Amino acid sequence: MKKIFLILFFGSIPMLSQENNGLLFFGEYVQAATFLEDNGGTAYGGTLNLQKNTNLFTGRYMYHDVNDVETSGINLAQQPSVRTDTQWNLHEIALLYGKRYVKRGHSYSFSAGVSYNSLDIEIVNTISATATNQFSETRVSENDNYIGVPLEVNIKWFKKKKSPYRVLELFPVGEDTAVGNSIGVKLFGTISKSSVIGVGLTIGIGSHKYYE
């Protein structure tokens, strides 16, 4: 089973005020460090979240690419070197449902759902012999589509009461508002043919609780 480890940073932008019996906010992966079978890469994506009471609904898109390079041989005419480049590109679209509980200055949530995953794999084999200047290359492309079970657990910290929004937590702007910044930790994954597991920091801006 392929395993992918991601370290992600998330942001959120408020889309619906708390006077609307619900909270809607958009989150985005800024950038991720990705590891697939011990190989590094990058990941990007985003989430759209709707909370009503304690019910949390999430739409998630994730994309990441990972490259693996292996070389064998001693680069002689009698024993040419073989270089194998493997590129993974994974697209995930997921819908999740869970619960989010808000305390005075922090919240925690957990969600699970279903995802559609499309994995593209390209393998390039390059054979070269320096002594004879010989060179050959072969390419093999594969695509695999499958269903997975996405999971998320989040903990966020934010301001405890209404106050002016602070840019970079340094410069207050305007009057008292529910909009503020947050920082947190996210544990997430997808159970599937190519399973994903990761943990990362989150940063956000939005109405993170119902203020009086």
Side-chain angles (χ1 to χ4, degrees), residues 47-86:
T47 59
L48 182 66
N49 305 272
L50 171 66
Q51 180 183 354
K52 189 169 185 180
N53 299 321
T54 60
N55 299 303
L56 181 63
F57 304 89
T58 301
R60 184 176 85 184
Y61 168 76
M62 183 170 66
Y63 165 79
H64 60 84
D65 62 274
V66 178
N67 186 60
D68 173 37
V69 178
E70 294 183 1
T71 303
S72 61
I74 57 176
N75 207 27
L76 298 176
Q78 296 81 5
Q79 186 177 353
S81 66
V82 180
R83 173 188 169 111
T84 301
D85 293 86
T86 304

Coordinates of all heavy atoms in Angstrom, one line a residue, residues 47-86:
T47 N -10.3 23.7 0.9 CA -11.5 23.1 1.5 C -12.6 24.2 1.5 O -12.3 25.4 1.7 CB -11.2 22.6 2.9 OG1 -10.8 23.7 3.7 CG2 -10.2 21.5 2.9
L48 N -13.8 23.8 1.4 CA -15.0 24.7 1.6 C -15.8 24.1 2.8 O -16.2 22.9 2.7 CB -15.8 24.8 0.4 CG -17.0 25.7 0.4 CD1 -16.6 27.2 0.6 CD2 -17.9 25.6 -0.8
N49 N -16.0 24.9 3.8 CA -16.6 24.3 5.1 C -17.9 25.1 5.4 O -17.9 26.3 5.4 CB -15.6 24.5 6.2 CG -14.3 23.8 5.9 OD1 -14.1 22.6 6.2 ND2 -13.4 24.6 5.4
L50 N -18.9 24.4 5.8 CA -20.1 25.0 6.4 C -20.4 24.4 7.7 O -20.5 23.1 7.8 CB -21.3 24.7 5.4 CG -22.7 25.1 5.9 CD1 -22.8 26.6 6.1 CD2 -23.8 24.5 5.0
Q51 N -20.6 25.2 8.7 CA -20.9 24.7 10.1 C -22.3 25.3 10.4 O -22.5 26.5 10.3 CB -19.9 25.2 11.1 CG -20.3 24.6 12.5 CD -19.3 25.1 13.6 OE1 -18.3 25.7 13.3 NE2 -19.7 24.8 14.8
K52 N -23.2 24.4 10.9 CA -24.5 24.8 11.4 C -24.7 24.1 12.7 O -24.7 22.9 12.8 CB -25.6 24.5 10.4 CG -26.9 25.0 10.9 CD -27.9 24.9 9.8 CE -29.2 25.6 10.2 NZ -30.3 25.5 9.1
N53 N -24.8 24.8 13.8 CA -24.8 24.3 15.2 C -23.5 23.6 15.4 O -22.5 24.2 15.2 CB -26.0 23.4 15.4 CG -27.4 24.1 15.2 OD1 -27.5 25.3 15.6 ND2 -28.3 23.5 14.6
T54 N -23.5 22.3 15.7 CA -22.2 21.6 15.8 C -21.9 20.7 14.6 O -20.9 20.0 14.6 CB -22.3 20.7 17.1 OG1 -23.3 19.7 16.9 CG2 -22.5 21.5 18.3
N55 N -22.8 20.8 13.6 CA -22.6 20.0 12.4 C -21.6 20.7 11.4 O -21.8 21.9 11.1 CB -23.9 19.7 11.7 CG -24.9 19.0 12.5 OD1 -24.6 17.9 13.0 ND2 -26.0 19.5 12.8
L56 N -20.6 19.9 10.9 CA -19.6 20.5 10.0 C -19.6 19.7 8.7 O -19.5 18.5 8.7 CB -18.2 20.4 10.7 CG -17.1 20.9 9.9 CD1 -17.2 22.4 9.7 CD2 -15.7 20.6 10.6
F57 N -19.8 20.5 7.6 CA -19.8 19.9 6.3 C -18.6 20.5 5.5 O -18.4 21.7 5.5 CB -21.1 20.2 5.5 CG -22.3 19.8 6.2 CD1 -22.9 20.7 7.1 CD2 -22.9 18.6 6.0 CE1 -24.1 20.3 7.8 CE2 -24.0 18.2 6.7 CZ -24.6 19.0 7.6
T58 N -17.8 19.6 4.9 CA -16.6 20.0 4.2 C -16.5 19.4 2.8 O -16.7 18.2 2.6 CB -15.3 19.6 5.1 OG1 -15.4 20.1 6.4 CG2 -14.0 20.0 4.4
G59 N -16.1 20.3 1.9 CA -15.7 19.8 0.6 C -14.2 20.0 0.4 O -13.7 21.1 0.8
R60 N -13.5 19.0 0.0 CA -12.0 19.1 0.0 C -11.5 18.7 -1.4 O -11.9 17.7 -2.0 CB -11.4 18.2 1.1 CG -9.9 18.3 1.2 CD -9.4 17.4 2.4 NE -9.2 16.0 2.0 CZ -8.9 15.1 2.9 NH1 -8.7 15.4 4.2 NH2 -8.7 13.8 2.6
Y61 N -10.6 19.5 -1.9 CA -9.8 19.1 -3.1 C -8.3 19.1 -2.7 O -7.8 20.0 -2.1 CB -10.0 20.1 -4.2 CG -9.0 19.9 -5.4 CD1 -9.2 18.8 -6.3 CD2 -7.9 20.7 -5.5 CE1 -8.3 18.6 -7.3 CE2 -7.0 20.5 -6.6 CZ -7.2 19.5 -7.4 OH -6.3 19.2 -8.4
M62 N -7.6 18.1 -3.2 CA -6.2 18.0 -2.9 C -5.5 17.5 -4.2 O -5.9 16.6 -4.9 CB -6.0 17.0 -1.8 CG -4.5 16.9 -1.3 SD -4.3 15.9 0.2 CE -4.8 14.3 -0.3
Y63 N -4.3 18.1 -4.4 CA -3.5 17.7 -5.5 C -2.0 17.6 -5.0 O -1.6 18.5 -4.3 CB -3.5 18.7 -6.7 CG -2.4 18.5 -7.7 CD1 -2.4 17.4 -8.6 CD2 -1.3 19.3 -7.6 CE1 -1.4 17.2 -9.5 CE2 -0.2 19.1 -8.5 CZ -0.3 18.1 -9.4 OH 0.8 17.9 -10.3
H64 N -1.3 16.6 -5.3 CA 0.1 16.6 -5.0 C 0.9 15.7 -6.0 O 0.3 14.9 -6.7 CB 0.4 16.1 -3.6 CG -0.1 14.8 -3.3 ND1 0.6 13.7 -3.6 CD2 -1.3 14.3 -2.7 CE1 0.0 12.6 -3.2 NE2 -1.2 13.0 -2.7
D65 N 2.1 16.1 -6.2 CA 3.0 15.3 -7.1 C 4.3 14.9 -6.3 O 4.8 15.6 -5.5 CB 3.4 16.1 -8.3 CG 4.1 17.4 -8.0 OD1 3.5 18.4 -7.7 OD2 5.4 17.3 -8.0
V66 N 4.7 13.7 -6.6 CA 5.9 13.1 -5.9 C 6.8 12.5 -7.0 O 6.3 11.9 -8.0 CB 5.5 12.1 -4.9 CG1 6.7 11.4 -4.3 CG2 4.6 12.6 -3.9
N67 N 8.1 12.7 -6.9 CA 9.0 12.2 -7.9 C 10.1 11.3 -7.2 O 10.6 11.6 -6.1 CB 9.8 13.3 -8.6 CG 10.6 12.8 -9.7 OD1 10.2 12.2 -10.7 ND2 11.9 13.0 -9.6
D68 N 10.3 10.1 -7.8 CA 11.3 9.2 -7.2 C 12.3 8.9 -8.3 O 12.0 8.6 -9.5 CB 10.6 7.9 -6.8 CG 11.6 6.8 -6.4 OD1 12.6 7.2 -5.8 OD2 11.4 5.6 -6.7
V69 N 13.6 8.9 -8.0 CA 14.7 8.6 -8.9 C 15.5 7.5 -8.4 O 16.0 7.6 -7.2 CB 15.6 9.9 -9.2 CG1 16.7 9.5 -10.1 CG2 14.7 11.0 -9.7
E70 N 15.8 6.5 -9.2 CA 16.6 5.4 -8.8 C 17.7 5.1 -9.9 O 17.3 5.2 -11.1 CB 15.8 4.1 -8.6 CG 14.9 4.1 -7.4 CD 14.2 2.8 -7.2 OE1 14.4 1.9 -8.0 OE2 13.3 2.8 -6.3
T71 N 18.9 4.9 -9.5 CA 20.0 4.7 -10.5 C 20.7 3.4 -10.2 O 21.0 3.2 -9.0 CB 21.0 5.9 -10.5 OG1 20.3 7.1 -10.8 CG2 22.0 5.7 -11.6
S72 N 21.0 2.6 -11.2 CA 21.8 1.4 -11.0 C 22.8 1.2 -12.1 O 22.8 1.9 -13.1 CB 20.9 0.1 -10.9 OG 20.2 0.0 -12.2
G73 N 23.8 0.4 -11.9 CA 24.9 0.2 -12.8 C 26.1 1.0 -12.5 O 26.1 1.9 -11.7
I74 N 27.2 0.8 -13.3 CA 28.4 1.6 -13.1 C 28.8 2.4 -14.3 O 29.9 2.9 -14.4 CB 29.6 0.6 -12.7 CG1 29.8 -0.4 -13.9 CG2 29.3 -0.1 -11.4 CD1 30.9 -1.4 -13.6
N75 N 27.9 2.6 -15.2 CA 28.0 3.5 -16.3 C 29.2 3.1 -17.2 O 30.0 4.0 -17.7 CB 28.2 5.0 -15.8 CG 27.8 6.0 -16.9 OD1 26.9 5.7 -17.7 ND2 28.4 7.1 -16.8
L76 N 29.4 1.9 -17.6 CA 30.4 1.4 -18.5 C 29.6 0.8 -19.7 O 28.5 0.4 -19.6 CB 31.3 0.4 -17.9 CG 32.1 0.9 -16.7 CD1 32.9 -0.3 -16.1 CD2 33.1 2.0 -17.1
A77 N 30.3 0.6 -20.8 CA 29.7 0.0 -22.0 C 29.2 -1.4 -21.7 O 28.2 -1.8 -22.2 CB 30.7 0.1 -23.2
Q78 N 30.0 -2.1 -20.9 CA 29.7 -3.5 -20.6 C 28.5 -3.6 -19.6 O 27.8 -4.6 -19.6 CB 30.9 -4.2 -20.1 CG 32.0 -4.4 -21.0 CD 32.9 -3.1 -21.1 OE1 32.6 -2.2 -20.3 NE2 33.8 -3.1 -22.0
Q79 N 28.3 -2.5 -18.8 CA 27.2 -2.5 -17.8 C 26.7 -1.1 -17.8 O 27.1 -0.3 -16.9 CB 27.7 -3.0 -16.5 CG 26.6 -3.1 -15.5 CD 27.1 -3.6 -14.1 OE1 28.2 -4.0 -14.0 NE2 26.2 -3.6 -13.1
P80 N 25.8 -0.7 -18.7 CA 25.2 0.6 -18.7 C 24.5 1.0 -17.4 O 24.0 0.1 -16.7 CB 24.3 0.6 -19.9 CG 24.4 -0.7 -20.5 CD 25.2 -1.6 -19.6
S81 N 24.4 2.3 -17.2 CA 23.7 2.7 -16.0 C 22.2 2.8 -16.4 O 21.8 3.1 -17.6 CB 24.2 4.1 -15.5 OG 23.9 5.1 -16.5
V82 N 21.3 2.6 -15.4 CA 19.9 2.6 -15.7 C 19.3 3.6 -14.6 O 19.5 3.4 -13.4 CB 19.2 1.2 -15.5 CG1 17.7 1.3 -15.7 CG2 19.8 0.2 -16.5
R83 N 18.6 4.6 -15.1 CA 18.0 5.6 -14.3 C 16.5 5.4 -14.5 O 15.9 5.5 -15.6 CB 18.4 7.0 -14.7 CG 17.7 8.1 -13.9 CD 18.0 9.5 -14.5 NE 17.2 10.5 -14.0 CZ 17.6 11.5 -13.2 NH1 18.8 11.5 -12.7 NH2 16.7 12.4 -12.8
T84 N 15.7 5.3 -13.3 CA 14.3 5.2 -13.4 C 13.7 6.4 -12.6 O 13.9 6.5 -11.4 CB 13.8 3.9 -12.7 OG1 14.4 2.8 -13.4 CG2 12.3 3.8 -12.8
D85 N 12.9 7.2 -13.3 CA 12.2 8.3 -12.8 C 10.7 7.9 -12.7 O 10.1 7.6 -13.7 CB 12.3 9.6 -13.6 CG 13.7 10.1 -13.6 OD1 14.5 9.6 -14.4 OD2 14.0 11.0 -12.8
T86 N 10.1 8.0 -11.5 CA 8.7 7.7 -11.3 C 8.0 9.0 -10.8 O 8.4 9.5 -9.7 CB 8.5 6.5 -10.3 OG1 9.2 5.4 -10.8 CG2 7.0 6.2 -10.2

